[in-house]
Amino acid sequence: MTRRKKSGRKRRTGSGIRQLPWQEIINPYPALEVLSAEQVEQIHLASLTLLENQGMRVLHAGARSLLAGAGASVDNDTHIVRMDRGLVLEKVALAPPQVTLQARNPAKNLTLGGNHLLFTSVGGPAYCNDLDRGRRRGTFADVCDYLKVVQSLDIIHQEGGGPFEVIELPPETRHLDLYHAQIRLLDKNWQANALGRERARDAIQMAAISLGVSVADLARKPALFAIINTNSPLQLDIPMAEGLIEMATAGQVVCITPFTLAGAMAPVTLAGTLTQQNAEVLAGIALAQVVRAGTPVVYGAFSSNVDMKSGSPAFGTPEYAKAALASGQLARRYGLPLRSSNVTSSNTVDAQSTYESAMSLWAATTAHANIIVHAAGWLEGGLTASFEKLIIDAEMLQMMSEYLKPIIVDDSTIALDAIAEAGAGGHFFAVGHTLSRYETAFYQPFLTDQANFESWEEAGALDTQARANRIWKQCLEDYQQPPLDPSIDEELTAYVARRKEELGS
Amino acid sequence: MTRRKKSGRKRRTGSGIRQLPWQEIINPYPALEVLSAEQVEQIHLASLTLLENQGMRVLHAGARSLLAGAGASVDNDTHIVRMDRGLVLEKVALAPPQVTLQARNPAKNLTLGGNHLLFTSVGGPAYCNDLDRGRRRGTFADVCDYLKVVQSLDIIHQEGGGPFEVIELPPETRHLDLYHAQIRLLDKNWQANALGRERARDAIQMAAISLGVSVADLARKPALFAIINTNSPLQLDIPMAEGLIEMATAGQVVCITPFTLAGAMAPVTLAGTLTQQNAEVLAGIALAQVVRAGTPVVYGAFSSNVDMKSGSPAFGTPEYAKAALASGQLARRYGLPLRSSNVTSSNTVDAQSTYESAMSLWAATTAHANIIVHAAGWLEGGLTASFEKLIIDAEMLQMMSEYLKPIIVDDSTIALDAIAEAGAGGHFFAVGHTLSRYETAFYQPFLTDQANFESWEEAGALDTQARANRIWKQCLEDYQQPPLDPSIDEELTAYVARRKEELGS
């Protein structure tokens, strides 16, 4: 083949790397079901029994009052809230099946639900890691670099709420610097940190400012997506309840995600873990609907297992894959969008890191997840955000997005004429059907090396991690900050300054 | 958790590594369908049209005569054979849906078809590769080492026909040494090399000797599985036709696998590639049935695409995954077992090698492949058999086999009592339900490292490749040759000596 002169559907964006254009991803295939309809019903019913009989401990007094007001039975000594199945299902039914999330670049607004699939960059690790500097506590400059790479990668629809913690910044106000950076450095949607009332409120205020709208407008057209983790088993703590209440009150998207690790925070059996996960999700969603009927919510599935030798979490396991697929069936049972994740336990960016990621990514995709959180960059069981893994995952996500483009079957693609033209024992390189299509016929990777051994060796015998290292540096070099109205930036700066004073930084 | 004292369903085998026991794998989930029923029918009909109008070039005169005798129209100048759809479908319908393959250890007999899934080690590369010695031409001693590791890994059901070529041995008789080594070093099923009449016949004779049966017995209870590649597009060469005829005559399993690389040996469009693949498979199967009605056959799917920049084959691509899934639908259309593969283009055992392998492995599995050829060890687009990749793939295969064990949903696994015992905010480590099940509850990897960063670093910060290197060496150290009746071995030795003389080595 002659070297392709220009890319077809591929393009050079702000980032100089060749990549797929920003796109909406639709999953056109049937969802894979690992449970029978009857088994889904068994888990559904058992989780309702759990909420009726054992109930959930809700540590936040306001949340308990809200639930009591809606008809739940509350024990004020133990803080256990019991909800009968009618109440739970009535509230869950108020949740919309789909929602649109605003981005400051309206071309990057996101549809969450239906057959739509969104990819989010990693959020929340303690450390960052790259090939040159190793694993370390990241600085604010590192976070900004990571955000710039996230902005550069068009396959990533949403930023994941801060790639890692910046311990050089004061904990009470760190979120303000992060939100400001997310708004400045990205023109795509970003996740809020809903750990406590202040962080949630600041996200809401700053998102409204960034979009030039009021908080009331924001409720009609949400922009924020926040993860609410239950303290499995069956407990909702105060900061997460505060976050949930703030987000739901403001009409923003609440993703209820129990951290149900089978064998530790959930039963050692997957059916038990799924039952408990389902109960906790339904309880959280019911609370969100009690706060504000119609709050957009997401069924968050994160069940995995622990390594029973060490007790440490294991990710990308066969159990994780089965739980993800079963969770898809449960979410569909309630007409709710599904959140899943791309995970690995690996401590380094090696073969394990991708075979575990692939296990979770395939399961999430075939489960018909609507949003895959931590889809790019997660390493080491979520303790580390890796610069190289971010690039590798982006390649894997691009591959998945191409896999989700259905095969076109018609006379021109069946191409009997082309087969006749090539002839028995011939080849297709010079056939007109090939020449008119070859530039865009196949997925063109930006990281995968398809060269033969000799060419690869001549080019330095770089492995995937080394090539990914070059690519994220290229992204940083090419990065251009997406323009932000200076008056909005001033307003944000003033907001951050005022809030830092209030929060006593 | 306390350290587990003994493994439950895991066990130590001849090989000292902890692994899953030898097992039959059943795929209990629905197959994923990427084509509509109508699209399957379009491809089916177009491929029949192709065989009727354009036909297939068959270079072997005997094969042409056989097809002519069955009613095909043969052009003796061009060697083009045209078959009408009635003839093709009548012959394809003679193929059995399922077959049992004998192994010299009857506990390792294989069921091929239905919902059964078999994994085969890599076969056919030119080179071998390991972390210590790099990529090189392998010696016969290297081949024997590779076979010993294949024997050690219980997740591998079948050996793939020789892991790599041994150029230090004369090409005319190399297969005799290989067959003898396959029989001696393995007690599991092994693939024959059907490239030409001599190699096929020797495989049949030696398989019969190894099992202590006659060639006629072998036809009733087949032991051999042979890949027949068409020379795509639409050509069957002489050596492969000879191999097909020998194997089919002897009632052994013939797997017709077109090497349809979209853009090079097949149309640049997947629908065209699938149409051509389907036509070539059906033609090959029809020939096998003409040779001997009821010959067990397999639908071999190997369609991928080329890198349109370089023209070199690309593997583990999104196109590969879609083609594998569509091929499953086509194979089921004819009630035939499906062969797929675990492939990568990567030149080294890195992140790419496993994200591409995972792409193909997930597609093959969700396509309901019955046999995944090259399931362990393949590297560099099939040019190299890697010792480390063999171990890594075995781990991925074990994970897949665990994923295929369905979730058990009943009162004891839903475990409401255990959830009550743990209590809100509690943990499950000490709950009776956990203690009675934790040893066998989850998949226990033998390669994957689930330790935390500090422990991993303390243990030498070994990446997956380095850990795999230790494991194959451990397998070699622990290897014990499975006993072979000395009289059978003598007979094989005599056979090999006589044939070497005949073949002029």
Side-chain angles (χ1 to χ4, degrees), chain A residues 36-270:
Chain A
S36 67
E38 192 193 306
Q39 290 175 321
V40 171
E41 223 45 27
Q42 279 176 277
I43 291 171
H44 160 69
L45 292 173
S47 65
L48 293 175
T49 300
L50 195 54
L51 290 175
E52 270 178 0
N53 295 351
Q54 186 174 341
M56 181 130 175
R57 181 182 286 149
V58 178
L59 300 179
H60 186 271
R64 287 198 303 275
S65 302
L66 283 164
L67 289 166
S73 142
V74 174
D75 181 324
N76 276 319
D77 293 331
T78 60
H79 300 164
I80 296 288
V81 176
R82 294 183 176 84
M83 287 181 268
D84 71 49
R85 57 196 66 212
L87 173 62
V88 172
L89 295 177
E90 177 203 317
K91 294 302 172 192
V92 169
L94 297 172
Q98 186 165 309
V99 60
T100 301
L101 280 164
Q102 311 296 310
R104 82 169 170 86
N105 176 350
K108 297 187 177 176
N109 289 352
L110 304 175
T111 306
L112 174 59
N115 285 324
H116 292 259
L117 174 57
L118 302 172
F119 297 134
T120 303
S121 57
V122 62
Y127 303 97
C128 70
N129 194 338
D130 68 64
L131 191 53
D132 310 295
R133 289 166 291 181
R135 180 192 196 244
R136 64 191 189 280
R137 287 290 186 176
T139 63
F140 186 65
D142 289 326
V143 157
C144 290
D145 279 352
Y146 209 91
L147 292 176
K148 288 174 184 175
V149 182
V150 167
Q151 167 68 11
S152 303
L153 296 166
D154 282 335
I155 196 66
I156 298 176
H157 296 102
Q158 184 191 55
E159 189 280 334
F164 42 88
E165 284 298 317
V166 180
I167 58 161
E168 69 183 11
L169 296 176
E172 317 74 44
T173 59
R174 195 181 288 164
H175 64 284
L176 295 163
D177 298 301
L178 176 65
Y179 294 155
H180 203 175
Q182 286 168 316
I183 295 166
R184 274 178 168 160
L185 301 177
L186 305 162
D187 69 352
K188 53 181 77 166
N189 189 270
W190 48 278
Q191 281 189 17
N193 179 340
L195 194 72
R197 185 179 147 176
E198 304 299 337
R199 291 188 184 88
R201 284 193 177 174
D202 287 329
I204 294 162
Q205 294 296 332
M206 290 178 73
I209 295 169
S210 77
L211 296 169
V213 301
S214 67
V215 169
D217 288 339
L218 204 66
R220 282 184 288 273
K221 293 185 165 186
L224 293 174
F225 176 102
I227 305 286
I228 302 296
N229 293 123
T230 48
N231 292 137
S232 304
L234 294 167
Q235 183 168 287
L236 181 64
D237 69 18
I238 292 172
M240 292 272 67
E242 285 182 356
L244 184 156
I245 291 169
E246 291 301 323
M247 287 291 159
T249 303
Q252 305 305 297
V253 182
V254 169
C255 175
I256 309 290
T257 309
F259 192 40
T260 31
L261 285 179
M265 294 90 104
V268 76
T269 44
L270 280 187

Side-chain angles (χ1 to χ4, degrees), chain B residues 444-462:
Chain B
Q444 297 264 357
F446 68 82
L447 171 68
T448 297
D449 192 320
Q450 293 168 339
N452 64 29
F453 189 86
E454 290 71 22
S455 311
W456 171 77
E457 216 172 27
E458 222 170 88
L462 298 180

Side-chain angles (χ1 to χ4, degrees), chain A residues 272-441:
Chain A
T273 293
L274 288 164
T275 298
Q276 186 188 311
Q277 170 192 286
N278 201 57
E280 295 181 19
V281 169
L282 294 183
I285 288 176
L287 173 58
Q289 301 306 323
V290 169
V291 172
R292 185 178 184 280
T295 294
V297 295
V298 173
Y299 187 115
F302 198 71
S303 291
S304 192
N305 58 294
V306 291
D307 168 16
M308 294 309 285
K309 283 183 302 182
S310 63
S312 52
F315 290 107
T317 61
E319 291 78 14
Y320 183 92
K322 287 191 273 192
L325 284 155
S327 297
Q329 294 182 255
L330 289 163
R332 285 190 293 282
R333 168 75 180 70
Y334 309 110
L336 297 168
L338 172 70
R339 166 255 161 112
S340 193
S341 304
N342 172 5
V343 291
T344 170
S345 300
S346 186
N347 290 299
T348 188
V349 182
D350 61 352
Q352 178 186 331
S353 75
T354 49
Y355 69 63
E356 289 182 330
S357 272
M359 195 85 187
S360 56
L361 191 56
W362 264 90
T365 303
T366 53
H368 268 227
N370 297 101
I371 181 164
I372 300 183
V373 170
H374 309 302
W378 157 301
L379 197 66
E380 202 197 307
L383 277 176
T384 289
S386 156
F387 280 81
E388 283 81 21
K389 186 72 173 4
L390 177 62
I391 299 299
I392 293 172
D393 285 332
E395 176 79 288
M396 291 174 72
L397 298 177
Q398 287 204 158
M399 289 168 72
M400 199 50 87
S401 77
E402 287 290 303
Y403 158 72
L404 293 173
K405 298 201 173 112
I407 299 174
I408 298 166
V409 182
D410 59 26
D411 287 349
S412 78
T413 57
I414 285 178
L416 292 183
D417 289 353
I419 299 174
E421 193 180 336
H427 70 76
F428 288 78
F429 286 133
V431 168
H433 183 263
T434 307
L435 293 173
S436 64
R437 294 163 185 258
Y438 81 94
E439 291 197 87
T440 56

Side-chain angles (χ1 to χ4, degrees), chain A residues 450-465:
Chain A
Q450 293 167 338
N452 64 29
F453 189 86
E454 291 71 21
S455 310
W456 172 77
E457 214 170 29
E458 221 170 89
L462 299 180
D463 70 7
T464 313
Q465 193 180 10

